[in-house]
Every structure is written in structure tokens, then in C-alpha cells.
Amino acid sequence: MRKERLIVPLVVGLALLWGIAQYLSGVLFERELARALDDLAARGELAVKRSDVDRGWLESRGTLHLTPRFGQAWHLELPYVARHGVISTRIDGELRLHFGPGDRRLFGDALPSTPPTWQARYRTLGATLEGHLELAPFIVSQAGRELDFRGGRITFGGVYGDWRLQARLAPWRLSDGPVTLEAGPTTLESRYAYTEGAYHFSQQDLLKVERLGWHQPDLELEAHGLVLHSRTVLDEQELRVESELTLDRLVTAEQVLLSGRVALELSRVNADALRSVLAVLRDEAARGDAAQDGRELLARLEPQLLAMLQDSPRLDIHAIALDSPMLGLDARGDGALFFDSRRLEELSLVALADPDDQASEQARWRTRLYGDLTWHQVPKVVALWLGLPLDTQDLEIDVVRGRVRINGRPLPPALERLQ
């Protein structure tokens, strides 16, 4: 009898614990989702919101909306259903992409296929999320043009403040009569780490395209081993963007036209001014005006945008290493460009967008450019073309108030007209 009397409270206790765990699983999932969406919106590029939200005990559902801050180029809807378990939550959803001013659906209007589905699992104890999206192959033909897409897979996951994404796309081909563009296989690896509100963040991206080909009756170009690596960091003082582009070889007429690498870094973009710009954009998005890209908004943003230049942004050309066996030329160089940030009140972004004032304002901005670039071991044919002695070893390219001089000499007339 004593054992029987213990069974009932034990069952009730276990049921109560299960109910509490089930409830906490749903609460924690909703909290982490809301935090992640808020920080994604704080990044600045996208307006993020949720609609049709239903927070249930065993099941939650809703629709995520991602749109660019300006324009109406596209709109991404992600309807989802989250089924909460004691130790994890399973999320099932769709990807519905709308584009153009008519808000056409990519899957259903432009493509005769249903929207792709995605699945993810959120683990309550570790607060980790892992998911994937499968892209099915399809062929689209219209007015003589054809897109042959052979599918792909996107995986994503991580924890709050540290997310990773990996995309693998099979080769695809776009043809328009005798002209064809082919690319792939393609891989993208991305990692985004941030503090709350995206006050500080860093993002690393690695894009690899094994082959990129352009074919038409009188020209064939094939690039192999195209790799782009970039790193963006926003810290307390500045925004820095580092990029490196590597090309294994560009082939035409069965000869190597070009190979090499270029490494650049943009730095000294004022961090506080950038954050103030993002704050204004978030206000505009909340008011529903972000889609209206007009002079009024540009005028409102102009003080903050100009303030981003107050630390004299710098573009470092860490390395240029290009070879052209076909042309018998090579380029090895490095250098830097600077922006003179004194008297920023004399500059106007609004005037840059005004066709009547554009030319004079562009000239005013060019006078703020200073810098130098060295081309090491310049080929003799280049020295001859520039009117320099044939024994010239290096080209010293100086930029002063936007005017370019090479080894102390003004540019040749043909190039001077381009300034």
C-alpha cells in the first residue's frame, strides 16, 4: 500500500517537471529568436520583423520578413512551425522570395516549382541551432533564354553571438542563344560574431568558384580557381574591411591571359558615426519609410555620413601581383590612398546625387584624395608608353589633391583627360 501511495505523487511530480521543462523550452526558444532578430536588424543592412506570431506551449509558429533597408528589389518570407520538446525544438519552414516592384514570387511565378523547405533544431541546454536548406535543380526557359540550375545545399548554425553559414552550389548555366555564362561548383563559408545590438561585430567570408566561363562566337573566357576572402570588423573606433581576390588562371584561346592576386584594406571609417547612421535607418524602417530612397532621407543622413569620414579613411593596397603570360606583362605593386577629412562641411552628398551639381561636386571630392602607389620592376613597354626612359625600374604613382603624377611627371595627354 505504501508503494502504491508513492506512485501517484511520483507520476504527478514527473508530469509537473515535464510540463515545466516543456514550457521553458518554448520560452527560451522565443527569447533567443527575438534576440537574434534584434541583433540582425541592428547590423543595418536589413529590416527584420515577424508577423502571424503564435507562441504556444507545445508549438509556436510565425513568419519572418527580411527586406533591404532601401528599395523594393526583394522581400524574403520565412514561415515556420516550431515544435517544442523537453531538450530541443524542431523548426520546419519554407523560403518564399518575392522580387521586383510587382512583388512576384520567385518560386511559383518566375519558377514553376514550390518554395524550398528548410529544417533546423534548437537545443535548449546548449542554446545551439543547427539547420539546412536544400535547393532542388530546375530549368527555366523564356524568350530564347535558359537557366539550368543543378541544385545546392545551405547549412547554418551556431549560438547567440556566433553564427556560421556554408553554401554549396552545383554548377549552373545561363544561356541566351549563342552566348553562355557558366559557373561552379561554388562554395561560400561565412562566420558572423557580434556583441549585443551588433555594437561590435566581425564577419569573415570565403567564396570559391572553381570555374567561371563566358562563351560567345568570337570570344571565350574561362576563369579557374577564383577565390575571394573578406573580413569586416566594427570595433570601438573604426570599421575595417579586408579583401583578397585570387585568380588561378584566366584562359582564352587556350592561353593564360591573367593570373595572380590583389589584397586591399579599407580602414579608419568612424565607428560612432556609422552606428548613428544605422540608428537613423532603423528609425526609418520602424516608420515604414525605409523603402523610399529619396533626397529627403539622404539630406537627413548627410551629417552622419560625412562624419564617417572624419578620421580620414585609408585604402591600403597591400599587394598587387598579376601575371599575363599571353601579353608578356606582370605587375607587382603596393601603396595607399587617403581622404583629407578637413572642412567636411564644404562637401555635400546631396549635390553628388543632383545631376545639375554632380560634375562640380565630384571634382571637389577628388581634391580630397592623396596617396602613392609603387609598381615594381615595370615592363619596358609600359615605360615606353608613358614616355619614360626604358631603363626605368619602378613607377612611383603619386596622387595629390586628386591629380596623378608618375615618377614626378604629369600623365600623358590621353590619360590626363580621364581625370
Side-chain angles (χ1 to χ4, degrees):
M1 292 295 294
R2 292 184 60 188
K3 292 181 179 180
E4 293 176 355
R5 286 197 298 267
L6 289 174
I7 291 176
V8 174
L10 181 60
V11 171
V12 172
L14 290 175
L16 183 61
L17 288 175
W18 176 85
I20 293 174
Q22 184 76 40
Y23 172 76
L24 288 176
S25 177
V27 170
L28 292 175
F29 168 78
E30 285 292 333
R31 187 193 69 175
E32 294 301 312
L33 178 59
R35 291 174 66 195
L37 293 179
D38 287 344
D39 288 333
L40 179 60
R43 174 66 186 265
E45 294 95 337
L46 300 173
V48 183
K49 68 176 183 178
R50 277 199 292 174
S51 67
D52 304 322
V53 179
D54 181 12
R55 300 178 179 88
W57 187 44
L58 298 175
E59 184 177 284
S60 301
R61 62 180 65 238
T63 302
L64 309 179
H65 300 267
L66 306 179
T67 55
R69 291 288 187 186
F70 297 98
Q72 297 178 332
W74 56 270
H75 169 212
L76 182 61
E77 288 184 358
L78 299 170
Y80 68 89
V81 176
R83 297 175 176 86
H84 307 300
V86 175
I87 60 174
S88 68
T89 294
R90 175 185 170 88
I91 308 107
D92 296 280
E94 288 186 352
L95 187 149
R96 301 174 182 173
L97 181 61
H98 303 251
F99 65 96
D103 201 33
R104 297 184 64 205
R105 298 174 300 168
L106 177 63
F107 302 99
D109 291 336
L111 301 179
S113 62
T114 58
T117 59
W118 56 275
Q119 294 81 38
R121 186 170 294 277
Y122 172 74
R123 304 190 183 279
T124 307
L125 296 180
T128 60
L129 178 73
E130 302 292 337
H132 68 273
L133 168 68
E134 298 287 346
L135 299 174
F138 60 80
I139 297 178
V140 179
S141 300
Q142 183 180 24
R145 302 182 183 91
E146 182 179 271
L147 173 62
D148 183 359
F149 179 74
R150 300 174 190 173
R153 178 182 175 88
I154 300 174
T155 60
F156 54 90
V159 298
Y160 175 79
D162 190 354
W163 299 103
R164 292 177 174 84
L165 179 143
Q166 185 177 76
R168 297 184 180 274
L169 302 180
W172 56 268
R173 183 179 70 249
L174 176 65
S175 58
D176 184 1
V179 181
T180 302
L181 174 65
E182 298 177 283
T186 303
T187 61
L188 171 65
E189 298 177 4
S190 181
R191 180 176 181 180
Y192 177 51
Y194 58 92
T195 60
E196 186 173 357
Y199 188 81
H200 297 159
F201 67 78
S202 66
Q203 179 169 335
Q204 298 190 60
D205 299 291
L206 179 62
L207 175 66
K208 297 180 180 179
V209 181
E210 293 188 18
R211 177 178 171 273
L212 181 65
W214 175 268
H215 303 275
Q216 62 185 58
D218 55 348
L219 177 65
E220 289 194 0
L221 292 172
E222 284 198 3
H224 298 268
L226 191 64
V227 179
L228 175 62
H229 180 266
S230 65
R231 180 172 181 263
T232 303
V233 176
L234 176 66
D235 59 22
E236 189 67 32
Q237 297 180 332
E238 65 176 335
L239 174 75
R240 299 189 308 277
V241 182
E242 304 172 50
S243 297
E244 181 178 4
L245 178 64
T246 303
L247 174 63
D248 181 61
R249 63 191 185 279
L250 177 63
V251 179
T252 185
E254 299 183 350
Q255 297 187 61
V256 177
L257 175 61
L258 187 67
S259 65
R261 61 183 282 265
V262 177
L264 308 172
E265 179 181 3
L266 174 66
S267 61
R268 302 203 305 215
V269 177
N270 187 270
D272 288 335
L274 174 60
R275 282 187 276 263
S276 66
V277 169
L278 298 181
V280 173
L281 292 178
R282 286 195 296 272
D283 290 343
E284 293 295 323
R287 293 165 47 190
D289 297 334
Q292 300 176 8
D293 185 8
R295 291 171 56 89
E296 182 178 347
L297 179 58
L298 180 60
R300 182 182 173 191
L301 287 171
E302 187 173 65
Q304 292 92 341
L305 291 171
L306 290 176
M308 290 170 55
L309 308 176
Q310 62 185 308
D311 297 329
S312 296
R314 168 182 177 134
L315 177 65
D316 282 287
I317 305 170
H318 292 306
I320 297 177
L322 301 174
D323 295 298
S324 179
M326 175 182 286
L327 302 179
L329 297 175
D330 64 84
R332 300 286 184 276
D334 52 68
L337 283 174
F338 307 86
F339 184 84
D340 182 0
S341 63
R342 293 174 294 181
R343 301 182 302 278
L344 286 174
E345 68 278 1
E346 297 178 359
L347 301 176
S348 172
L349 290 168
V350 175
L352 276 179
D354 189 337
D356 296 332
D357 301 328
Q358 195 173 64
S360 59
E361 189 63 24
Q362 286 177 349
R364 192 175 293 112
W365 282 74
R366 279 196 299 270
T367 62
R368 300 302 187 100
L369 294 179
Y370 293 81
D372 59 81
L373 175 67
T374 302
W375 185 344
H376 304 284
Q377 299 298 316
V378 60
K380 288 181 171 54
V381 65
V382 175
L384 179 64
W385 182 58
L386 294 173
L388 298 173
L390 292 180
D391 60 353
T392 300
Q393 296 295 311
D394 299 331
L395 284 187
E396 299 291 342
I397 305 170
D398 298 310
V399 181
V400 179
R401 294 183 59 81
R403 308 298 296 181
V404 179
R405 297 180 69 86
I406 300 179
N407 287 14
R409 302 184 180 187
L411 288 177
L415 295 178
E416 181 71 24
R417 288 193 293 269
L418 300 177
Q419 292 197 93

